[in-house]
Amino acid sequence: MSEKVILNEADIRRALTRIAHEIVEKNQGCQDLVFVGIERRGVPLARRLTASIEEFEKVAVPVGVLDISLYRDDLASRGLQPVVRRTDIPTDVSDKVVVLVDDVLFPGRSIRAAMDAIMDLGRPQRIQLAVLVDRGHRELPIRADYVGKNVPAALSEEVSVKLREVDGRDEAVIISPDKGGEP
Amino acid sequence: MRLAQQQEQLDRHSLPWRHRHILDLDDFSREEIELVLSTTDAMKEILAREVKMVPTLRGKTITTLFYEPSTRTRVSFEMAAKSLGASVVNVTTATSSVVKGESLLDTVRTLQSLGTDAMVMRHSMSGAPYVAARHLGVNVINAGDGWHAHPTQALLDLYTIRDKLGKIEGTKVMILGDIKHSRVARSNMWGLSTMGARVVLCGPPTLMPYDLVGEVHHKAMPPAEVQTRIDKALDGADVVMVLRLQRERQSGGLLPSLREYVSLYQLNAERLKLARPGALVLHPGPVNEDVEVSLEVAQGAQSVIQEQVRNGVAVRMALLYLLMGGSH
């Protein structure tokens, strides 16, 4: 197994700053915005984005936490279920612009589950998606509106994001199996 | 992040869950009880929504098989199952082939063949759900068997205590009433002692389990103190769990009269003052008003009886999810 760093701490900081500005620019301000971080690592990312926006726009944007475990499409094929955490979104999502935030976008099934969950909570005006890393290989017709970095990766490779709030450090790595056949 | 590739990462923070059935709390570790309580928190949020439903158990069927009457437990399981998107079938034995003499095993095997994915059972004989579990491939949940166990009640009691007091460890919990015939008391004794609470049993000696009175401590029961004087038991109590007094006990010669029970053991406002200020009053229901507890206390500020009922649905959702939400 070989590990290559694709985003270091500074890269992540700059990407998030840029994404925060893009979101405000595309939505022409912060009106009706609600950020929803997808458990687990989407949550600190969403909080960093809203903190950034509060700094340069001087506006406090509501941020919530979404647990998608109960909406997953792969529960029947898993061994152990994931731990269910509490969903907590401080405002009604109806008529709002919901910005979903996640660390890595891959087949898109987590986002499908997240959208189903949001729709059960209300009828948003629109839903947008911000991700730190997009690694392609979508299995569903889903795309991100805001991307930190596009990382083409083979299916055999693993793309992993570590965040200070969860893992003690900020880093995005791509892990490849060795060509020599070592497991 | 790919859902399947998250598995390794998630398994590191998804706790081990060894149960295929929920029969009693005597084989639940502290971590497993913690997992049920934290999952219940997430489920409570769903019940606070306008659309109180998630698609998690869509396509699964849960059958309730009750050989004894029940309102709150049965409806609670039904609400829990429906909130998770499952279908529910209710079998009340009074209107089933049990009346024609069909045996327990035949009944449960037939229900399994009819396609149920899980069975929630209440039976007047201790051990009945264990028999079913041994012979079935589906998940079995014990909704009360004889005097023996009522694990889901104990879990919702634990959740209610933690929710209101912030902790269970180190609290003094008094269980008051007919301990001998109480499956609620027994399951709570297991759950409370696993979670580090101090359990004190209080009631008339004729209604205490034989093996707990005196110095002999039966290994099959978890640690608990016995105190037949209610004022001593109440001293410093953080929680008073009142049990229902069945009127048949009087005709069975175990009580001289209801009036004597009330005068010695009823939880009334005066007696409640002997407990810690803000002590919780729990009751599994249905309450015999002005028998085991005065109406004033049952409906008073310290009573969390209705919260218990609300929490019951969330706890049962958590259990159904943990049992059925994956593949085992």
Side-chain angles (χ1 to χ4, degrees):
Chain A
M1 300 275 265
S2 62
E3 203 175 283
K4 193 180 93 160
V5 175
I6 44 176
L7 291 172
N8 62 29
E9 188 176 346
D11 296 327
I12 291 178
R13 180 176 37 85
R14 289 177 194 125
L16 290 176
T17 306
R18 172 184 45 88
I19 289 174
H21 280 89
E22 279 181 4
I23 293 171
V24 176
E25 181 187 23
K26 181 159 173 172
N27 289 292
Q28 297 174 310
C30 304
Q31 183 103 359
D32 296 332
L33 282 184
V34 179
F35 279 68
V36 175
I38 297 174
E39 284 282 13
R40 206 172 169 208
R41 289 179 176 78
V43 176
L45 289 175
R47 293 205 169 112
R48 291 196 210 180
L49 286 172
T50 52
S52 189
I53 292 174
E54 187 160 349
E55 222 182 279
F56 63 77
E57 285 287 305
K58 314 285 182 240
V59 174
V61 177
V63 57
V65 169
L66 179 65
D67 186 287
I68 56 166
S69 319
L70 301 172
Y71 288 83
R72 297 167 68 120
D73 61 8
D74 63 347
L75 282 174
S77 57
R78 293 174 59 83
L80 291 170
Q81 310 90 311
V83 172
V84 184
R85 293 198 167 81
R86 210 184 153 96
T87 288
D88 189 5
I89 302 177
T91 66
D92 184 10
V93 299
S94 293
D95 299 318
K96 296 281 197 305
V97 175
V98 171
V99 180
L100 288 172
V101 185
D102 206 0
D103 55 344
V104 180
L105 178 58
F106 186 4
R109 293 181 191 269
S110 293
I111 305 305
R112 195 277 318 158
M115 286 200 284
D116 277 359
I118 296 288
M119 295 307 219
D120 272 355
L121 294 170
R123 190 177 188 279
Q125 194 193 121
R126 61 171 56 99
I127 298 178
Q128 296 172 349
L129 174 62
V131 296
L132 188 61
V133 174
D134 180 347
R135 62 165 292 186
H137 297 290
R138 216 75 75 234
E139 289 171 6
L140 299 174
I142 289 190
R143 54 123 187 83
D145 298 275
Y146 314 97
V147 180
K149 184 171 178 135
N150 282 294
V151 176
L155 285 170
S156 59
E157 295 173 312
E158 191 197 320
V159 173
S160 167
V161 169
K162 304 273 179 254
L163 296 175
R164 195 176 60 230
E165 295 90 333
V166 176
D167 315 280
R169 67 185 189 285
D170 278 357
E171 191 176 71
V173 298
I174 182 167
I175 302 165
S176 321
D178 284 341
K179 297 206 167 90
E182 274 275 307
Chain B
M1 222 170 164
R2 192 186 190 105
L3 289 181
Q5 282 184 329
Q6 271 180 322
Q7 175 142 3
E8 205 222 312
Q9 193 154 359
L10 283 166
D11 288 355
R12 264 182 257 130
H13 66 253
S14 70
L15 297 162
W17 175 259
R18 304 164 296 124
H19 299 274
R20 209 159 70 81
H21 310 290
I22 314 280
L23 298 171
D24 194 9
L25 290 192
D26 57 354
D27 64 350
F28 267 65
S29 70
R30 188 162 181 156
E31 289 73 35
E32 286 170 316
I33 295 181
E34 292 279 1
L35 179 59
V36 174
L37 300 183
S38 66
T39 308
T40 301
D41 263 336
M43 298 303 179
K44 243 187 136 174
E45 181 273 319
I46 293 164
L47 293 173
R49 299 180 187 178
E50 202 163 312
V51 176
K52 301 170 183 26
M53 195 152 136
V54 289
T56 323
L57 295 183
R58 215 170 56 105
K60 302 264 167 114
T61 301
I62 290 154
T63 301
T64 68
L65 176 60
F66 276 54
Y67 284 77
E68 280 183 342
S70 160
T71 309
R72 50 187 56 63
T73 307
R74 217 212 69 208
V75 174
S76 187
F77 269 109
E78 187 169 351
M79 304 281 277
K82 286 181 170 166
S83 264
L84 291 170
S87 308
V88 179
V89 172
N90 293 309
V91 180
T92 354
T93 49
T95 49
S96 77
S97 295
V98 170
V99 159
K100 298 189 222 167
E102 186 170 25
S103 73
L104 172 65
L105 273 186
D106 272 349
T107 303
V108 298
R109 281 206 186 106
T110 303
L111 290 171
Q112 180 170 259
S113 301
L114 283 166
T116 194
D117 296 292
M119 211 163 316
V120 176
M121 263 185 74
R122 170 172 284 191
H123 201 282
S124 54
M125 291 210 155
S126 300
Y130 290 74
V131 171
R134 223 178 296 138
H135 288 89
L136 296 180
V138 303
N139 306 107
V140 175
I141 300 182
N142 181 6
D145 65 326
W147 300 349
H148 171 241
H150 196 352
T152 63
Q153 178 72 40
L155 286 165
L156 76 88
D157 289 338
L158 287 171
Y159 182 85
T160 305
I161 294 171
R162 163 95 74 96
D163 190 41
K164 289 286 180 185
L165 296 181
K167 60 168 185 168
I168 301 167
E169 168 115 48
T171 58
K172 175 177 171 183
V173 179
M174 180 191 155
I175 307 183
L176 171 66
D178 181 359
I179 312 287
K180 184 169 186 164
H181 301 99
S182 175
R183 53 194 176 214
V184 171
R186 286 185 174 79
S187 287
N188 264 298
M189 283 163 73
W190 286 113
L192 287 164
S193 57
T194 302
M195 297 302 282
R198 178 183 154 207
V199 181
V200 175
L201 305 174
C202 178
T206 47
L207 296 176
M208 269 304 156
Y210 174 71
D211 42 21
L212 286 180
V213 180
E215 293 306 308
V216 176
H217 206 87
H218 203 295
K219 267 180 265 177
M221 294 301 295
E225 301 160 40
V226 174
Q227 176 52 261
T228 49
R229 295 271 318 264
I230 189 170
D231 47 346
K232 293 213 168 107
L234 281 163
D235 182 37
D238 299 285
V239 178
V240 184
M241 196 178 283
V242 186
L243 301 173
R244 199 167 150 272
L245 182 74
Q246 286 155 302
R247 290 161 198 267
E248 310 87 83
R249 305 303 166 214
Q250 185 192 342
S251 53
L254 292 168
L255 289 178
S257 69
L258 265 188
R259 217 172 59 173
E260 178 143 340
Y261 180 86
V262 167
S263 88
L264 289 174
Y265 291 103
Q266 183 192 73
L267 183 69
N268 54 35
E270 276 308 297
R271 288 197 170 122
L272 185 54
K273 288 190 190 135
L274 297 170
R276 281 242 175 94
L280 303 178
V281 175
L282 274 72
H283 192 301
V287 173
N288 285 320
E289 288 164 5
D290 288 326
V291 176
E292 64 262 8
V293 61
S294 71
L295 188 57
E296 184 188 356
V297 168
Q299 297 183 348
Q302 289 168 256
S303 161
V304 294
I305 297 175
Q306 292 312 317
E307 271 99 322
Q308 282 174 277
V309 174
R310 275 192 283 274
N311 292 335
V313 182
V315 163
R316 290 169 176 127
M317 282 172 74
L319 289 169
L320 288 171
Y321 168 74
L322 288 166
L323 274 184
M324 301 170 73
S327 67
H328 291 280

